[in-house]
């Protein structure tokens, strides 16, 4: 099928997407993968299904380009990323159109992606030289040994990114990898490849060498698997099931990996919470990006004393959301990404209702708006035998449950195989911070759903338990892409027994020296 002109926003058309697709290096005989616009279900373009040979060739090009990129100083690489930051903001509207076209999210949700990429670029451009600076370490003996830890790039980093945040999760992980002196090969989701291709062009315009940032397109099983096998480090964002397979494959290849995986995130409303603020925050936390957000809230635990007034406020705000298709700023909630996601959401809600849950609002697909739209949905009476209770829905569906105490809320919050993100609402900030530390999640927000932690790019972000390995953001988010190297210089004397000195005497002398060193901890 040919792309349908009516499916496109003002700044992006079939010709521009075709031009992007044509830049993917792939064999001429490879079949194409059709990409559709979820708003309408209409085709918007085709991308190559890269083979293992195509991926291997891209990695080799990146490997050849990496040494000269790494030879630039961290400050020089940071200047390139600073230019990229400016280009992202300059090209904001075009990027928003591409994101919306292929993911069908509301424009305000697409803007979160642009803002995040710019913020991440600014943070790492400012801090990378500091993070990568060589550091003196305490030597074996004060003054006799000089020891320095250096940071070296791992080589070629493979990034496998998902469809739900096609800009953020494609490039925000690539930026620190590039700043660390690595080359990057990115395999975006086949549902949303064009944001990645657009951002690749901006990186190259900013000054990243062409082969130092490659994009390969195709299926996860073929192109994704080939990438994991070929690179020196794997950064993956996606489902826990696939993440386990990626980790096994990386382990077999003896390469390191970082994985951000699924979540079944809890939001706790305590008895002293500002209910209007909590309801507004819960709406944002549950229905941003139509609930297709790893950090979004799917379990709400509300103190019984305030359950009814909170639920009333939450439901009124949910019903007021504008569920619509459009490339302007009017809609609050957009579409699900495709038929598979819609089927999963419908299955979870239908199963819950069949087993006794109540739909307070929503609970219906909306084909009158578009093929994959589903109403923001609030349920009560969700119990453990329902799939919705424990499985990640990844859609605009949330269960509200009354609890009798903060302790019970935390116990229920921690009763999950996941541990990605959580939220606590209370007027007592100190109490909120104290309770947050008891929740088994990599990030916990007090009086916010997810943005406070996610946007704190100087702090690490990632999951506990089955929600992943490693961290993005902050110092850890850059140093994961490096190897530490210790260089130790013996400047005087020797650590071995001197010739002619009895070994017993040497041992006694060393024992005295070790006792003395314990009293001089700061001497290097």
């Amino acid at each position: 099928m040919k792309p349908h002109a009516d499916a496109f926003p003002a700044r992006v058309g079939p010709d521009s997407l075709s031009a992007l697709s044509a830049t993917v290096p792939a064999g001429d005989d490879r079949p194409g993968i059709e990409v559709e616009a979820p708003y309408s279900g209409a085709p918007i373009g085709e991308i190559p299904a890269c083979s293992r040979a195509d991926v291997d060739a891209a990695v080799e090009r990146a490997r050849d380009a990496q040494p000269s990129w790494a030879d630039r100083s961290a400050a020089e690489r940071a200047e390139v990323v600073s230019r990229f930051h400016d280009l992202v903001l300059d090209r904001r509207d075009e990027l928003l159109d591409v994101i919306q076209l292929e993911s069908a999210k509301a424009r305000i949700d697409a803007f979160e992606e642009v803002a995040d990429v710019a913020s991440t670029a600014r943070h790492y451009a400012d801090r990378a030289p500091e993070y990568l600076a060589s550091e003196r370490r305490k030597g074996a003996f004060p003054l006799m040994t000089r020891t320095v830890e250096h940071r070296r790039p791992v080589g070629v980093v493979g990034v496998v990114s998902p469809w739900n945040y096609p800009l953020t999760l494609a490039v925000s992980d690539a930026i620190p990898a590039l700043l660390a002196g690595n080359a990057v090969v990115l395999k975006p989701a086949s549902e949303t490849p064009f944001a990645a291709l657009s951002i690749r062009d901006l990186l190259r315009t900013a000054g990243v060498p062409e082969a130092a940032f490659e994009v390969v397109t195709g299926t996860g099983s073929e192109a994704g698997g080939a990438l994991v096998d070929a690179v020196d480090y794997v950064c993956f964002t996606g489902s826990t099931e696939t993440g386990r397979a990626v980790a096994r494959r990386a382990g077999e290849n003896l390469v390191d990996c970082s994985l951000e995986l699924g979540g079944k995130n809890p939001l706790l409303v305590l008895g002293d919470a500002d209910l209007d603020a909590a309801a507004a925050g819960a709406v944002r936390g549950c229905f941003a990006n139509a609930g297709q957000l790893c950090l979004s809230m799917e379990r709400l635990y509300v103190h019984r004393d305030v359950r009814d007034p909170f639920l009333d406020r939450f439901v009124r705000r949910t019903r007021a959301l504008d569920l619509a298709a459009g490339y302007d700023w009017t809609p609050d909630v957009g579409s699900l990404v495709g038929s598979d996601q819609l089927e999963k959401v419908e299955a979870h809600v239908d199963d819950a209702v069949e087993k006794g849950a109540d739909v307070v609002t929503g609970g219906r697909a909306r084909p009158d708006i578009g093929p994959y739209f589903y109403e923001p949905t609030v349920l009560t009476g969700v119990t453990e035998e329902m799939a919705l209770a424990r499985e990640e829905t990844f859609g605009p569906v949330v269960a509200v449950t009354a609890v009798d105490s903060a302790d019970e809320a935390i116990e229920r919050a921690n009763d999950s195989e996941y541990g990605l993100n959580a939220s606590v609402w209370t007027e007592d900030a100190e109490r909120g911070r104290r309770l947050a530390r008891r929740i088994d999640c990599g990030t916990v927000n007090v009086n916010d759903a997810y943005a406070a932690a996610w946007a704190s790019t100087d702090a690490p972000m990632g999951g506990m338990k089955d929600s992943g390995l490693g961290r993005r953001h902050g110092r850890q988010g850059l140093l994961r892409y490096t190897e530490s190297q210790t260089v130790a210089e013996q400047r005087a004397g020797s650590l071995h027994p001197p010739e002619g000195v009895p070994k017993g005497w040497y041992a006694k002398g060393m024992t005295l020296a070790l006792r003395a060193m314990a009293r001089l901890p700061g001497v290097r």
Side-chain angles (χ1 to χ4, degrees), residues 24-33 47-61 185-187 214-231 249:
V24 178
D28 294 336
D29 60 341
R30 297 297 296 170
I33 298 174
I47 55 170
C50 290
S51 66
R52 175 173 288 272
D54 296 327
V55 173
D56 287 345
V59 172
E60 282 307 305
R61 290 192 298 273
V185 180
L186 165 66
K187 208 297 285 185
E214 294 270 356
V215 177
V216 293
T217 57
T219 64
S221 58
E222 184 170 8
L227 185 61
V228 172
D229 287 341
V231 296
R249 206 156 179 168

Side-chain angles (χ1 to χ4, degrees), residues 230-416:
V231 296
D232 305 304
Y233 186 100
V234 180
C235 175
F236 172 81
T237 304
S239 71
T240 296
E241 180 182 2
T242 304
R244 292 185 193 278
V246 170
R248 284 193 294 268
R249 206 156 179 168
E252 290 171 358
N253 297 329
L254 290 181
V255 300
D256 204 354
C257 64
S258 54
L259 313 169
E260 188 198 291
L261 308 176
K264 190 70 177 176
N265 304 308
L267 182 147
L268 285 56
V269 180
L270 305 185
D272 64 345
D274 179 329
L275 298 185
D276 288 319
V283 166
R284 289 191 297 272
C286 297
F287 305 123
N289 201 34
Q292 301 168 119
L293 170 62
C294 296
L295 302 173
S296 68
M297 301 296 150
E298 297 191 4
R299 299 182 289 150
L300 269 59
Y301 298 112
V302 185
H303 195 283
R304 196 173 303 277
D305 291 346
V306 296
R307 183 264 194 189
D308 290 346
F310 168 81
L311 185 61
D312 177 67
R313 289 166 170 80
F314 181 50
V315 169
R316 279 193 285 108
R317 287 180 177 273
T318 300
R319 288 173 177 163
L321 292 171
D322 183 15
L323 178 70
Y327 293 103
D328 60 14
W329 297 94
T330 304
D332 297 311
V333 181
S335 173
L336 296 170
V337 77
S339 58
D340 289 348
Q341 205 58 32
L342 177 61
E343 289 172 9
K344 183 177 182 181
V345 170
E346 288 183 312
H348 274 200
V349 174
D350 291 346
D351 172 73
V353 171
E354 288 172 7
K355 293 175 179 175
D358 295 315
V359 175
V360 183
T361 189
R364 297 183 302 155
R366 294 294 301 274
D368 55 310
I369 302 174
Y372 311 125
F373 278 82
Y374 197 88
E375 292 178 339
T377 299
V378 179
L379 296 99
T380 58
V382 172
T383 53
E384 289 300 304
E385 71 273 13
M386 303 171 186
L388 184 70
R390 290 190 171 275
E391 296 178 20
E392 183 178 37
T393 304
F394 220 61
V397 179
V398 60
V400 178
T401 302
V403 294
D404 292 316
S405 67
D407 287 341
E408 182 187 352
I410 291 173
E411 182 180 353
R412 298 287 292 270
N414 288 340
D415 184 19
S416 171

